[in-house]
Amino acid sequence: MRTNNVWLATSAEAPRGPLTMDLRADVCVIGAGVAGLTTAYLLAREGRSVIVLERGAVAGGETRNTTAHLSNAMDDRFVRLERVHGRGAARLVAESHGAAITRIEEIVADEDIACDFDRVDGYLFQPPGRPMSELSEELAVARRAGVFVEMIARAPIDGFDTGACLRFTGQAQLHPLKYMHGLALAFERLGGRIFCDTPVKEVHGGNEAEVITRDARVVRARAAVVATNSPINNRLAVHTRQVPYRTFVIGAIVPRGVVTKALFWDDGDPYHFVRLEATVDPTADTDVLLVGGEDARTGEVHDDEARYLRLEAWARARWPMIRDVPYRWSGQVYEPVDGLAFIGKNPLDADNVYIATGDSGQGMTHGTIAGILLTDLICGRKNPWTRLYDPARVRLSVARDYVRDSVGTAAHYAVWLTPGDVSGVDAIPPGEGAVLRQGLQKIAAYRDENGNVSMCSATCTHLGCVVGWNQSESFWECPCHGSRFDRFGKVVNGPATVDLAPLPAPPAAATKKLPDGTKKKKVLEPV
Ligand SMILES: Cc1cc2nc3c(=O)[nH]c(=O)nc-3n(C[C@H](O)[C@H](O)[C@H](O)COP(=O)(O)OP(=O)(O)OC[C@H]3O[C@@H](n4cnc5c(N)ncnc54)[C@H](O)[C@@H]3O)c2cc1C
Ligand code: FES
């Protein structure tokens, strides 16, 4: 089964056209995900003229893949955050994520956005075999950071005893696409302009920033905000300090009203995250239980089917009332080495260029924090979170993690020395892609359902790693810094901004079975 995203099945977006002329504005935001649109909306509320340039559609990036747990119970755990950043910083982390939830709630109310926003509790429990002392320690440090949390006997999951768990109050959830579409309309009501299908190629800072699109249109602005999930304008300063991971979600049908509406996390390795979605079909007598996890480093995942099945088995053991599982999808998150997003002035760049990246699986709140913080910076106001999220920060206590993850990235360059994924182009089944080796060249070859093969260079146009095929989402992904390209090599997400170099298709005889059905000619061979 291919992927089937529950949010896409239950929302609709107003069509928006591309940029067709040069323009000027106070601020140009690149990327219409939660980080970019929140920043654009909050700046427009301050009276700034703002233009948003988006490669595809509003919320067409990772924001449509989220499960939209809105939380200040940090994925990276307060124990680690306090150790790495210090006590004062841990308080600011709790404060900023709590403020992000409140800001979303206010926007939903102010703009009357029907997106099923709801305050719920969140429950963190241990997997079997893990010491309870870890939970006690997290409880103490989270409380010290100012979070409202308590230890209770078990999470409200009927028929499955989680053992003692932490209950975080004041968490929330919403329908991410309904929220984003409402936010886009609210921004436009304030005079903001959004141009879709407008990929940006270059961003130049200075007294007047210049944003240049792939079609050579130029937007000049006093400030540019690069909110492309992974910054397209930053060669190394940030990309070497965050690591791309794939994460998976299933949506299971459960009888209505049987599962408690709440957020659930376990602290396993890999860990799991769960929530209920009750609005998929208001006329049905069922809800959808979203269960996510099975994270693995991008480029090292070749067993998507097994991961979806493991998620389902884990969920059925805890919620045996699950019926069928019609939804499943995966997406990418960036894990910063010190657990916090990078939001602020782009390091090593000219003035007036800002970035937001490093979502760490909490990008809905990190993206909203970006909106609040960048609005303050651009408006010349002080913000207490500036140093915490400064993209230029270096925390020496994470040097070991940094070296480990850099070694992981370096290992991906060694792929140049290995053979291809398959023995030759004929070994690629319809609807799939594979990397082939031809002499010193690596080739990304895709065979469509009719048997036609298209080929492009497998060399990522960002910094030269070899891309790999993502079977369940049908695109090429780069293991080094997470760039993605569609089946034909067109860039879908940065940091790359240039498509994979196209190559001539192999002769027809190599792409299809010969008419007699006996022999297939191979033009590309393994080494
Ligand atoms: C499966 C999954 C579950 C998750 N669950 C949660 C959760 O429960 N809670 C939570 O807080 N977070 C969660 N996250 C993380 C969160 O969804 C993301 O971090 C967040 O949505 C990222 O928002 P963004 O605005 O930074 O990026 P995006 O939403 O990716 O937006 C970036 C936009 O920039 C555009 N763009 C890229 N390049 C260019 C270019 N060159 N020119 C113009 N536009 C460009 C893209 O098309 C895209 O629309 C989850 C993520 C995944 C994958
Ligand atoms: S994303 Fe950096 S090398 Fe591919």
Side-chain angles (χ1 to χ4, degrees):
M1 184 177 99
R2 293 275 183 206
T3 52
N4 183 18
N5 178 315
V6 73
W7 312 124
L8 290 175
T10 51
S11 62
E13 189 204 345
R16 293 178 176 88
L19 181 70
T20 54
M21 64 178 84
D22 295 353
L23 288 175
R24 216 174 262 281
D26 290 335
V27 183
C28 179
V29 174
I30 301 117
V34 65
L37 262 195
T38 309
T39 308
Y41 166 81
L42 292 176
L43 282 163
R45 271 179 69 149
E46 301 270 350
R48 299 294 196 274
S49 65
V50 185
I51 288 173
V52 176
L53 303 181
E54 163 56 49
R55 169 192 300 286
V58 165
E62 291 310 325
T63 302
R64 75 173 198 188
N65 291 330
T66 188
T67 51
H69 294 57
L70 307 180
S71 176
N72 65 351
M74 300 300 293
D75 278 4
D76 281 280
R77 303 289 167 258
F78 280 99
V79 169
R80 175 169 183 249
L81 292 170
E82 189 185 89
R83 178 168 49 79
V84 171
H85 300 277
R87 275 192 190 188
R91 284 194 77 83
L92 291 176
V93 170
E95 175 192 290
S96 56
H97 283 265
I101 301 172
T102 304
R103 183 59 63 98
I104 293 170
E105 187 171 30
E106 286 165 359
I107 293 172
V108 167
D110 290 352
E111 304 295 346
D112 201 14
I113 301 175
C115 61
D116 316 312
F117 178 94
D118 215 350
R119 287 277 184 177
V120 290
D121 288 342
Y123 299 90
L124 173 67
F125 52 90
Q126 289 287 71
R130 284 277 289 279
M132 278 300 152
S133 56
E134 289 177 358
L135 276 189
S136 311
E137 213 186 333
E138 181 66 11
L139 173 69
V141 183
R143 275 191 171 160
R144 190 155 63 222
V147 177
F148 294 106
V149 54
E150 61 178 346
M151 178 91 80
I152 60 170
R154 58 179 283 179
I157 304 176
D158 286 347
F160 181 84
D161 188 357
T162 59
C165 73
L166 299 187
R167 181 166 81 101
F168 294 83
T169 54
Q171 314 298 293
Q173 63 175 51
L174 48 64
H175 187 306
L177 289 190
K178 290 181 184 173
Y179 174 63
M180 291 299 292
H181 297 329
L183 189 60
L185 291 174
F187 168 64
E188 288 170 329
R189 281 197 296 275
L190 291 167
R193 300 173 72 183
I194 303 172
F195 297 95
C196 289
D197 300 317
T198 304
V200 167
K201 220 171 101 192
E202 291 169 37
V203 181
H204 303 290
N207 274 346
E208 187 173 61
E210 257 188 11
V211 179
I212 304 170
T213 72
R214 188 186 282 187
D215 295 340
R217 300 292 174 203
V218 183
V219 176
R220 292 183 177 81
R222 296 166 69 103
V225 174
V226 181
T228 49
N229 195 226
S230 176
I232 55 164
N233 58 329
N234 183 299
R235 292 293 280 177
L236 278 172
V238 161
H239 297 301
T240 51
R241 289 188 285 137
Q242 61 181 13
V243 183
Y245 278 79
R246 289 263 310 284
T247 182
F248 297 78
V249 182
I250 59 167
I253 303 295
V254 292
R256 173 145 296 168
V258 170
V259 175
T260 304
K261 190 173 187 184
L263 312 182
F264 299 96
W265 308 273
D266 81 351
D267 209 7
D269 185 16
Y271 76 110
H272 299 90
F273 46 98
V274 180
R275 64 165 275 197
L276 196 67
E277 173 56 30
T279 61
V280 171
D281 180 359
T283 61
D285 61 352
T286 53
D287 295 331
V288 176
L289 186 66
L290 301 176
V291 181
E294 285 291 333
D295 294 21
R297 200 177 153 156
T298 297
E300 294 176 359
V301 186
H302 307 291
D303 57 347
D304 298 27
E305 187 64 32
R307 287 173 192 272
Y308 288 121
L309 290 176
R310 280 201 295 273
L311 274 184
E312 184 175 337
W314 183 90
R316 284 188 188 280
R318 285 151 185 82
W319 289 275
M321 71 291 282
I322 284 177
R323 297 177 186 167
D324 53 334
V325 182
Y327 302 103
R328 66 180 189 177
W329 69 91
S330 70
Q332 185 162 274
V333 294
Y334 284 89
E335 290 296 341
V337 288
D338 64 7
L340 294 179
F342 299 104
I343 303 166
K345 190 178 172 314
N346 190 32
L348 308 177
D349 205 339
D351 285 347
N352 297 317
V353 180
Y354 300 86
I355 57 170
T357 188
D359 43 47
S360 181
Q362 290 191 270
M364 296 304 290
T365 38
H366 265 143
T368 307
I369 292 168
I372 300 168
L373 175 51
L374 295 180
T375 298
D376 279 352
L377 295 182
I378 290 169
C379 292
R381 286 192 297 260
K382 285 197 169 157
N383 183 298
W385 313 329
T386 307
R387 279 195 61 226
L388 185 69
Y389 294 111
D390 182 359
R393 71 181 180 261
V394 177
R395 308 274 194 258
L396 291 178
S397 49
V398 295
R400 202 181 48 199
D401 300 0
Y402 173 71
V403 169
R404 187 200 62 209
D405 286 327
S406 300
V407 167
T409 295
H412 287 294
Y413 285 97
V415 172
W416 278 107
L417 307 174
T418 63
D421 298 339
V422 293
S423 58
V425 73
D426 294 324
I428 304 174
E432 290 192 24
V435 173
L436 306 165
R437 180 161 185 173
Q438 191 179 45
L440 291 177
Q441 198 179 19
K442 290 253 171 164
I443 294 171
Y446 168 73
R447 183 187 292 279
D448 72 16
E449 299 294 345
N450 297 321
N452 302 310
V453 173
S454 53
M455 304 202 309
C456 47
S457 165
T459 307
C460 176
T461 54
H462 177 228
L463 291 174
C465 284
V466 176
V467 299
W469 177 245
N470 177 321
Q471 178 54 39
S472 64
E473 305 288 344
S474 291
F475 51 59
W476 302 101
E477 62 189 9
C478 180
C480 286
H481 315 108
S483 288
R484 270 163 294 163
F485 305 84
D486 75 7
R487 290 166 285 176
F488 309 108
K490 197 166 165 233
V491 68
V492 177
N493 215 1
T497 54
V498 176
D499 299 342
L500 297 176
L503 295 172
T511 70
K512 288 179 181 169
K513 274 193 175 162
L514 295 176
D516 64 6
T518 50
K519 230 177 169 192
K520 291 184 260 171
K521 188 178 166 202
K522 290 180 186 170
V523 289
L524 298 166
E525 302 287 353
V527 282

